């Protein structure tokens, strides 16, 4: 089974709702535990361009937002559902998502 680390950035006021949606889709399971994640507070920035439909900010203006970086494990059999749930629950039109394929630990 292939395992991935899923990482996304979400505004502070939506972090729990997005995590819950992704957990319910099957991400965040490690052994006999579920709802496993790590989160770190920080700031994100973006500038909405013409043609965008921003959740926050104005076209042409840089917006700085208090966000969380959230990381969790996801197996390949739940990956499509987890990404879909993330996108549906996330308030941004274009959420920032990172995905890394993980290797098995030796020993």
């Amino acid at each position: 089974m292939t395992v991935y680390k899923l990482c996304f950035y979400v505004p502070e006021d939506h972090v729990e709702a997005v995590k819950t949606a992704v957990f319910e889709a099957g991400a965040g399971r490690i052994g006999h535990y579920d709802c496993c994640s790590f989160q770190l507070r920080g700031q994100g920035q973006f500038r909405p361009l013409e043609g965008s439909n921003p959740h926050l900010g104005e076209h042409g203006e840089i917006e700085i937002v208090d966000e969380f970086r959230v990381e969790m494990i996801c197996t390949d059999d739940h990956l499509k559902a987890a990404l879909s749930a993330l996108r549906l629950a996330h308030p941004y039109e274009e959420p920032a998502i990172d995905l890394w394929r993980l290797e098995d630990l030796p020993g």
Side-chain angles (χ1 to χ4, degrees):
M1 176 178 315
T2 304
V3 179
Y4 295 89
K5 180 181 279 190
L6 173 61
C7 174
F8 56 90
Y9 302 82
V10 61
E12 189 170 7
D13 60 346
H14 283 79
V15 69
E16 292 305 320
V18 175
K19 284 187 337 188
T20 297
V22 179
F23 290 149
E24 288 177 356
R29 296 180 184 174
I30 301 174
H32 295 290
Y33 296 85
D34 70 357
C35 298
C36 302
S37 69
F38 177 81
Q39 62 190 43
L40 182 65
R41 186 185 309 259
Q43 290 186 323
Q45 84 169 44
F46 54 88
R47 179 173 44 204
L49 302 175
E50 289 302 320
S52 66
N53 184 21
H55 172 71
L56 300 168
E58 302 293 327
H59 289 120
E61 300 293 324
I62 291 178
E63 183 74 22
I64 298 175
V65 182
D66 289 332
E67 294 181 326
F68 278 93
R69 174 186 168 130
V70 179
E71 299 179 7
M72 62 184 68
I73 299 299
C74 188
T75 55
D76 56 355
D77 56 334
H78 291 101
L79 186 59
K80 186 174 179 180
L83 290 170
S84 179
L86 192 162
R87 288 184 176 109
L88 285 172
H90 202 290
Y92 291 172
E93 182 176 30
E94 300 285 347
I97 302 169
D98 298 330
L99 187 66
W100 295 280
R101 183 178 171 177
L102 301 179
E103 298 292 328
D104 291 333
L105 293 174

